[in-house]
Amino acid sequence: MLPRFTIFLILIVFFIGSTSFGLTLQESVEIALENNPEILAQAERINALGSEIGQVYSAFLPELKIEGRFGREYQSSISYEILPGQTFVVTPDNAANVKDYRAVLTQNLYTGGKLESRLDIARVRLKIAKEELRRKKRELVYRVALAYYSVLRAERLLDLSLESADVAAAHLAQAKAYVALGTAPKADLLRAQVKAAEVELGKIQAESELEIARIEFNDVLGREAEEPLILKDAKSRASEDVLPSSEELLFPAFEHRPEWKVLNLQRVIGEREIIFARSGFSPTLSLRGTISRSYLDYPPGELQIEESTGILESDTWNVYGLVSWTIFDGLKTPNKIREAEANLAEIKAHERRIENRIVADVKRARLYFCAAKLRIKSAQKGVEYAGQNLMLAQEKYRKGVRGNIEFIEAQTSLTKAKTDLLNAEADYELTKAKINLAVGQEVFALF
């Protein structure tokens, strides 16, 4: 057996190693999908609609019922005169114990398309629910990505604030030394102090924004707001990603966008609703069969027949077809037809609006992607040039050639350039998630 100290070290190494990797975007999405109440509720709705299809389909199958009656029954006596002076009593003037067993079989044969329409509608509703679940999942993935990169952005901005604070503190110490030596005016010290206070304020704001981003991220994941959070940093792959053309994105968008598929499915429901309403003009035909056995138990001696037991037994069966045709229903059926036709027209009226929205979403997401990619390149150059400018300004100030105004401006420019780069990289990753959401399928792998 391993010594306890060795086991303790192994656990520490494992814990440190697991936390150092952090929570990835894929793991975050999986946690959100497991905890999101809308996703869970939609999954249960799909189960309910699946059961509804079974209920509708049961109307096509025969229905078999077994019934039984137990109690007492009375009817006035019935008698027949066989010969003059001789009377045969069929039922005595007395109550009898009754037992009745019956099996009833019913089968729908024709309903004018009513059952078929109901089954089609139930099946289409199930497909719509599945598309709604897919839409909710894709929207949740985008929300998780938005919250995920918001936390990473806030963490990087805080690191940048700390870095700027170190630079400002070093410059403040340098300015104090130069003023004490008399090689720099007191104005340089005041400017350095103002810059240090400004950077400190930015650091406080960055810390606050990071805490808010972490709370919002945990909220999207369905976790406690105060739950510890360590994310794995994601490297930008802007140079590797290739964006398809608008035409290449629009074709799969109209094939996979849940909103477009739901619209087409709703059109099918509207057409079936019209058929269902028109079935009110059609007759219905069903088959019904019954087999039964009855027992009437009278008190002994009440039946006036020789060796009477007091029990009457009878077996019965019948098979017949039932036809029902409503000739007038108070204009209910015509109004149902008009209502169904109006609902279908309303669905078709939304087609152009949804089509335009899908086209706009795809083109807008594509423009955001291209702009973010260009912003990264521009921001990278800005960071490079601002860094070189800061080094020159610092060297000039050290040699006493220039005051610290140029140095402070160069430091501000570098901080802004790095901030722009961080925002551009975060926005670029989000534009990929936005394109996936606009197309309705995974164009870019987010994880």
Side-chain angles (χ1 to χ4, degrees):
M1 296 180 62
L2 293 174
R4 293 183 178 179
F5 181 72
T6 304
I7 296 175
F8 180 70
L9 287 179
I10 293 175
L11 292 175
I12 291 179
V13 172
F14 175 78
F15 177 76
I16 294 177
S18 61
T19 55
S20 63
F21 286 103
L23 191 65
T24 65
L25 178 57
Q26 180 178 2
E27 293 169 342
S28 303
V29 169
E30 292 172 354
I31 293 173
L33 290 174
E34 292 176 357
N35 296 335
N36 187 268
E38 292 185 6
I39 300 296
L40 299 176
Q42 189 66 21
E44 293 301 326
R45 173 166 174 77
I46 289 174
N47 293 334
L49 289 174
S51 301
E52 182 179 329
I53 291 177
Q55 296 177 42
V56 176
Y57 185 75
S58 66
F60 289 91
L61 303 178
E63 180 185 85
L64 177 63
K65 294 193 299 183
I66 298 178
E67 301 174 348
R69 295 187 302 163
F70 306 90
R72 291 179 63 80
E73 180 180 292
Y74 170 80
Q75 67 177 11
S76 59
S77 62
I78 301 175
S79 60
Y80 298 94
E81 186 176 354
I82 302 174
L83 295 173
Q86 294 184 358
T87 303
F88 176 73
V89 179
V90 178
T91 56
D93 188 12
N94 208 330
N97 295 320
V98 177
K99 290 188 294 183
D100 182 89
Y101 306 95
R102 177 181 305 177
V104 182
L105 177 68
T106 305
Q107 173 66 63
N108 288 314
L109 299 179
Y110 177 73
T111 60
K114 183 177 295 184
L115 294 182
E116 291 81 357
S117 299
R118 287 184 57 196
L119 183 59
D120 289 341
I121 291 172
R123 286 172 174 169
V124 174
R125 283 177 178 168
L126 178 60
K127 292 180 180 179
I128 290 177
K130 290 181 179 179
E131 289 299 324
E132 285 295 322
L133 177 61
R134 197 167 67 87
R135 180 185 64 81
K136 291 177 184 291
K137 285 184 177 181
R138 291 207 168 273
E139 290 179 352
L140 181 60
V141 169
Y142 177 75
R143 288 168 51 203
V144 172
L146 178 61
Y148 186 89
Y149 286 109
S150 295
V151 173
L152 289 180
R153 187 203 312 252
E155 289 177 347
R156 293 175 183 175
L157 290 176
L158 179 58
D159 293 339
L160 182 58
S161 297
L162 295 175
E163 178 185 327
S164 298
D166 293 339
V167 174
H171 178 67
L172 178 60
Q174 188 180 33
K176 286 180 179 179
Y178 286 176
V179 170
L181 293 174
T183 58
K186 190 176 180 180
D188 285 1
L189 176 60
L190 292 176
R191 281 192 291 266
Q193 290 173 334
V194 170
K195 182 61 179 178
E198 178 185 324
V199 171
E200 181 64 23
L201 181 62
K203 186 185 72 171
I204 294 173
Q205 183 177 354
E207 291 174 344
S208 175
E209 290 177 352
L210 176 58
E211 289 303 314
I212 293 174
R214 285 175 172 170
I215 291 173
E216 292 177 350
F217 180 76
N218 279 328
D219 181 58
V220 173
L221 264 61
R223 307 196 309 179
E224 296 292 334
E226 296 80 10
E227 192 164 342
L229 183 63
I230 301 177
L231 301 186
K232 181 179 180 180
D233 200 354
K235 303 300 180 182
S236 177
R237 300 187 297 272
S239 59
E240 304 173 7
D241 296 323
V242 179
L243 179 63
S245 64
S246 296
E247 293 72 18
E248 292 173 329
L249 292 176
L250 284 173
F251 179 77
F254 283 104
E255 186 177 355
H256 297 286
R257 270 289 285 265
E259 297 93 326
W260 188 254
K261 297 176 73 173
V262 167
L263 176 69
N264 292 327
L265 292 171
Q266 287 176 339
R267 186 187 295 112
V268 174
I269 288 181
E271 293 169 352
R272 297 299 184 274
E273 290 282 4
I274 294 176
I275 296 175
F276 181 83
R278 287 175 177 171
S279 66
F281 288 130
S282 301
T284 61
L285 175 62
S286 61
L287 181 69
R288 182 181 178 91
T290 304
I291 182 171
S292 64
R293 167 166 287 194
S294 301
Y295 298 88
L296 293 176
D297 187 1
Y298 289 97
E302 290 294 331
L303 292 177
Q304 300 302 315
I305 57 177
E306 188 177 356
E307 299 179 355
S308 170
T309 61
I311 298 178
L312 292 179
E313 300 181 16
S314 64
D315 293 325
T316 307
W317 66 266
N318 56 67
V319 178
Y320 47 87
L322 296 175
V323 179
S324 175
W325 196 343
T326 302
I327 304 302
F328 181 73
D329 61 358
L331 300 179
K332 181 169 65 175
T333 297
N335 284 302
K336 282 186 175 181
I337 294 174
R338 281 194 290 270
E339 179 186 6
E341 291 174 343
N343 291 335
L344 179 59
E346 181 184 359
I347 293 171
K348 292 180 178 180
H350 291 297
E351 181 176 347
R352 187 63 177 174
R353 178 179 60 85
I354 295 178
E355 180 182 357
N356 291 337
R357 188 175 69 188
I358 292 175
V359 173
D361 287 347
V362 170
K363 291 186 176 181
R364 185 166 48 242
R366 193 177 185 280
L367 288 174
Y368 284 150
F369 178 90
C370 295
K373 199 168 187 177
L374 293 175
R375 282 173 55 203
I376 289 177
K377 293 181 180 180
S378 178
Q380 288 172 342
K381 292 180 181 179
V383 170
E384 180 183 354
Y385 297 151
Q388 294 175 2
N389 185 41
L390 179 62
M391 292 176 60
L392 290 175
Q394 189 174 17
E395 183 65 18
K396 290 178 181 180
Y397 182 68
R398 187 182 66 80
K399 292 179 178 180
V401 178
R402 296 286 180 86
N404 67 346
I405 294 179
E406 184 177 345
F407 174 81
I408 291 175
E409 290 178 349
Q411 181 188 357
T412 303
S413 297
L414 179 59
T415 301
K416 182 179 183 304
K418 288 184 176 180
T419 302
D420 291 342
L421 179 58
L422 291 177
N423 289 329
E425 290 176 342
D427 290 342
Y428 174 77
E429 296 301 325
L430 286 176
T431 57
K432 294 195 295 185
K434 195 168 291 186
I435 286 177
N436 291 347
L437 184 64
V439 176
Q441 69 171 1
E442 190 174 87
V443 178
F444 293 105
L446 300 181
F447 34 80

